[in-house]
């Protein structure tokens, strides 16, 4: 007989108590093994969302989630390992150019990524638009590629933090995703279990992000930095703007194409700026502060690392990317300046076009998405294109058109520029 019951643990948190180490270890383990029911864990997750958790409770919860599965050993990799995690945004393709860029500068990047859900895109969905590219690797393949190429982006195996896999799916359908202790422990348990030596967090703030305010993003970032440091993973966080989509593309193949432009030394200024800011933080955290990522973009080393990384997973970096059958161009109906482009509305439009999924098992379209022609601050004349909606089928267009209709605001005067990197924590 166990010393604990799910109902006692739920009541303790419901009434604002602090859970003991024993209660946390028991409930996470029992839930993973199916001894605590989904409805009981749902009630506990809601109690945590409403009552919060102390720092020691979050640390113990994270440790219990790590202990629910395997922890990878990357000691066979002779370069310093450093990873990046973004809390999710619209047009956030940064992992694609960043991973080979850091590898080209001497780091090894063990990037275990996810698929998109809702209005935020997933790195694996984007890369799967490259013909032949394979997201699933065995642990041995993962470690061998990390050692030989220095860059891997692949799906996390089922044995990594299985408690989180189960709990995340439950939170998604019970309105409990937004609990900061649960987001922090979910992200950090996976990153610590993956075995990286250092970690840079890109905590997004704004309409297109989970965290809508700087105060909430700062609390999440501080919690995750403390969890990483407590587990011996050197961790820093940047709070970055997600009121506006990143770059000019939102979708799958369109984001791969934009990432390749960045690797070729071009691409939109904001994507380049954030890629370099995160690369510098990663190289610093990995003990490689003298590396020059801007030079590696300019001289083609980052592009070479990208091509090697894509080929290592069966992809053809020279293959033509899928293109959409239907392209609808939306034009400005007034002169002025673009005041804002709402990340959430553009993210939902791309989702309606088929670039994202509503349920985990839904397929995504490689070619669908939104391509912006203008960004905040750009001058615009009547009749000029503002953005394109791309889809495989015309039936997708009306819902996306309705979502995107209010996303781009044009006004008579140019808006003042807002910073992309808002704050550094660590
Ligand atoms: N990403 C995660 O991995 N977990 C969360 O809880 C939220 C975002």
């Amino acid at each position: 007989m166990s010393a604990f019951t799910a109902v006692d643990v739920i009541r303790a948190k419901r009434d604002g108590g602090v859970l003991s180490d024993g209660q946390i270890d028991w409930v996470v383990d029992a839930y993973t093994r199916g001894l605590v029911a989904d409805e009981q864990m749902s009630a506990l997750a809601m109690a945590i969302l409403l009552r919060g958790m102390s720092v020691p409770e979050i640390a113990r919860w994270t440790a219990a989630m790590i202990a629910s599965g395997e922890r990878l050993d990357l000691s066979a990799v002779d370069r310093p390992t450093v990873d990046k995690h973004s809390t999710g945004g619209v047009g956030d393709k940064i992992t694609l150019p960043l991973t080979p860029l850091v590898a080209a500068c001497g780091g090894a990047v063990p990037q275990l990524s996810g698929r998109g859900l809702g209005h935020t895109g997933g790195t694996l969905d984007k890369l799967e638009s490259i013909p032949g590219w394979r997201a699933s690797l065995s642990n041995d393949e993962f470690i061998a590629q990390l050692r030989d190429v220095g860059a891997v982006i692949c799906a996390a195996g089922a044995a990594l933090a299985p408690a989180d896999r189960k709990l995340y799916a439950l939170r998604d359908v019970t309105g409990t995703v937004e609990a900061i202790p649960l987001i922090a422990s979910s992200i950090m348990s996976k990153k610590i279990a993956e075995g990286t030596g250092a970690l840079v967090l890109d905590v997004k703030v704004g309409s297109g992000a989970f965290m809508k305010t700087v105060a909430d993003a700062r609390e999440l970032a501080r919690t995750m930095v403390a969890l990483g440091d407590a587990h011996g993973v050197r961790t820093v966080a940047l709070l970055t703007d997600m009121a506006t989509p990143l770059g000019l593309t939102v979708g799958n193949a369109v984001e791969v194409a934009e990432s390749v432009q960045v690797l070729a030394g071009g691409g939109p200024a904001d994507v380049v700026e954030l890629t370099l800011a995160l690369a510098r933080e990663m190289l610093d955290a990995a003990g490689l502060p003298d590396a020059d990522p801007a030079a590696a973009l300019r001289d083609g080393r980052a592009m070479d690392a990208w091509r090697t990384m894509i080929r290592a997973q069966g992809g053809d970096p020279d293959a033509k990317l899928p293109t959409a059958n239907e392209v609808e161009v939306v034009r400005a109906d007034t002169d002025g300046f673009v005041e804002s482009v709402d990340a959430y509305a553009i993210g939902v439009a791309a989702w309606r076009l088929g670039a994202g999924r509503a349920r985990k098992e839904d397929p995504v379209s490689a070619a669908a998405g939104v391509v912006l022609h203008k960004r905040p601050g750009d001058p615009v004349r009547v009749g000029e294109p503002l953005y394109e909606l791309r889809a495989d089928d015309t039936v997708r267009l009306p819902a996306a058109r309705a979502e995107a209709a209010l996303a781009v605001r044009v006004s008579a005067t140019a808006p003042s520029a807002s910073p992309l990197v808002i704050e550094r924590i660590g």
Side-chain angles (χ1 to χ4, degrees):
M1 261 281 287
S2 159
F4 304 101
T5 72
V7 175
D8 288 344
V9 178
I10 296 164
R11 282 200 186 115
K13 187 44 76 184
R14 179 197 68 189
D15 296 341
V18 173
L19 301 182
S20 69
D21 289 354
Q23 284 176 314
I24 291 172
D25 292 350
W26 176 79
V27 80
V28 171
D29 175 63
Y31 177 60
T32 310
R33 292 192 293 125
L35 304 177
V36 165
D38 276 348
E39 54 272 27
Q40 294 176 310
M41 192 48 119
S42 309
L44 181 58
M46 186 58 82
I48 291 170
L49 182 135
L50 297 173
R51 292 296 198 165
M53 272 180 153
S54 67
V55 172
E57 277 180 297
I58 302 172
R60 191 72 183 201
W61 188 277
T62 306
M65 300 242 284
I66 297 168
S68 73
E70 67 183 8
R71 194 167 173 173
L72 295 182
D73 174 6
L74 303 184
S75 58
V77 180
D78 56 10
R79 313 187 204 185
T81 54
V82 56
D83 196 5
K84 186 262 325 191
H85 181 84
S86 158
T87 56
V90 176
D92 186 359
K93 72 270 304 167
I94 302 293
T95 296
L96 276 57
L98 180 64
T99 302
L101 173 58
V102 171
C105 293
V109 187
Q111 174 68 231
L112 296 178
S113 291
R115 297 185 186 281
L117 193 63
H119 73 281
T120 62
T123 298
L124 301 181
D125 295 325
K126 294 171 200 188
L127 285 168
E128 279 177 345
S129 63
I130 301 174
W133 187 84
R134 183 163 65 93
S136 290
L137 299 183
S138 68
N139 285 354
D140 287 347
E141 287 174 320
F142 173 72
I143 291 169
Q145 185 173 327
L146 193 58
R147 201 184 47 223
D148 300 343
V149 181
V152 192
I153 304 174
C154 68
L160 206 87
D164 177 64
R165 189 172 289 255
K166 220 176 149 185
L167 181 56
Y168 190 82
L170 188 72
R171 287 165 55 212
D172 200 34
V173 293
T174 56
T176 52
V177 168
E178 291 84 353
I180 287 178
L182 296 180
I183 298 177
S185 54
S186 164
I187 292 172
M188 294 307 291
S189 61
K190 286 175 287 200
K191 290 292 160 186
I192 295 164
E194 143 198 301
T196 188
L199 177 65
V200 175
L201 298 162
D202 180 3
V203 180
K204 301 282 185 205
V205 193
S207 77
F210 279 130
M211 298 292 120
K212 308 292 181 203
T213 67
V214 171
D216 281 350
R218 192 181 288 133
E219 185 187 337
L220 176 62
R222 285 191 177 140
T223 307
M224 292 195 289
V225 167
L227 286 172
D229 288 342
H231 283 89
V233 179
R234 163 103 190 86
T235 306
V236 295
L238 297 183
L239 306 193
T240 71
D241 177 72
M242 190 26 74
T244 307
L246 267 169
L248 293 169
T249 58
V250 181
N252 295 309
V254 286
E255 292 198 38
V256 172
E258 189 168 83
S259 303
V260 172
Q261 287 171 9
V262 172
L263 288 159
D270 61 329
V271 180
V272 177
E273 179 189 339
L274 188 54
T275 303
L276 287 175
L278 290 165
R280 290 192 183 106
E281 292 290 350
M282 289 171 75
L283 292 163
D284 211 34
L288 299 165
D290 298 331
D292 182 355
L297 278 185
R298 269 195 313 272
D299 64 20
R301 276 178 292 142
M303 179 67 99
D304 290 345
W306 159 263
R307 295 171 64 81
T308 310
M309 176 182 86
I310 295 300
R311 276 207 197 93
Q313 286 169 247
D316 177 358
D318 298 313
K320 190 174 168 317
L321 293 168
T323 49
N325 299 329
E326 305 298 331
V327 179
E328 179 170 300
V329 180
V330 176
R331 295 172 188 278
D333 55 12
T334 175
D335 290 345
F337 293 87
V338 174
E339 185 185 309
S340 57
V341 179
D342 183 62
Y344 181 72
I346 295 293
V348 175
W351 176 17
R352 300 281 185 264
L353 289 165
R357 53 170 71 76
R359 292 172 312 149
K360 278 206 306 295
E361 42 294 331
D362 290 348
V364 296
S365 157
V370 179
V371 177
L372 301 173
H373 286 246
K374 301 282 180 190
R375 290 192 44 86
D378 287 348
V380 60
R381 308 296 302 260
V382 170
E384 275 191 307
L386 287 176
Y387 56 88
E388 286 169 30
L389 304 175
R390 298 188 182 184
D392 294 328
D393 198 313
T394 47
V395 296
R396 295 278 190 173
L397 292 172
R401 200 181 290 140
E403 289 296 342
L406 298 177
V408 181
R409 290 176 56 157
V410 176
S411 67
T413 49
S416 49
S418 47
L420 182 54
V421 178
I422 299 164
E423 199 169 304
R424 179 183 188 281
I425 292 172

